[in-house]
Amino acid sequence: MKNKITVSKANDMITFYLHVGKRRFFLFVQKYSKGVYDFFAGGRSEDEIRNFRMWNRNPRLDKTISKIPLYTKYVMRYEM
């Protein structure tokens, strides 16, 4: 089963979650950005994030994409 990153928006903040099987883990929260929210709105698999190729188009999205592997590694190590 593939792991998936999803988001939810509330109070001008975006909350990121990692879905592993039927379990959901909190990753982090950041300020709302339309480009970041639109990219993750439908959920993205970890493979899609690792193979991200649209660098330098949206600096906020670049920073978020680069943070996700660090947070997912932490969750997989300490929460599983």
Side-chain angles (χ1 to χ4, degrees):
M1 178 157 293
K2 295 189 178 200
N3 299 341
K4 189 172 186 178
I5 307 294
T6 59
V7 295
S8 65
K9 177 184 165 267
N11 300 330
D12 290 333
M13 301 296 277
I14 303 172
T15 307
F16 289 80
Y17 297 98
L18 172 66
H19 292 263
V20 180
K22 294 186 180 194
R23 298 177 69 187
R24 182 173 88 162
F25 298 98
F26 169 80
L27 290 177
F28 59 93
V29 175
Q30 74 178 33
K31 285 184 139 185
Y32 176 79
S33 170
K34 183 174 177 9
V36 173
Y37 183 75
D38 288 346
F39 183 78
F40 287 101
R44 297 285 179 154
S45 72
E46 282 187 312
D47 291 337
E48 286 179 278
I49 293 169
R50 268 191 240 107
N51 296 327
F52 182 73
R53 300 281 184 245
M54 297 183 295
W55 296 106
N56 301 322
R57 293 185 185 173
N58 182 342
R60 189 80 179 256
L61 181 59
D62 293 349
K63 180 69 173 171
T64 303
I65 294 283
S66 64
K67 288 191 317 188
I68 288 176
L70 300 171
Y71 285 92
T72 56
K73 185 184 280 188
Y74 177 83
V75 166
M76 296 301 270
R77 179 176 287 174
Y78 295 108
E79 299 294 330
M80 297 298 283

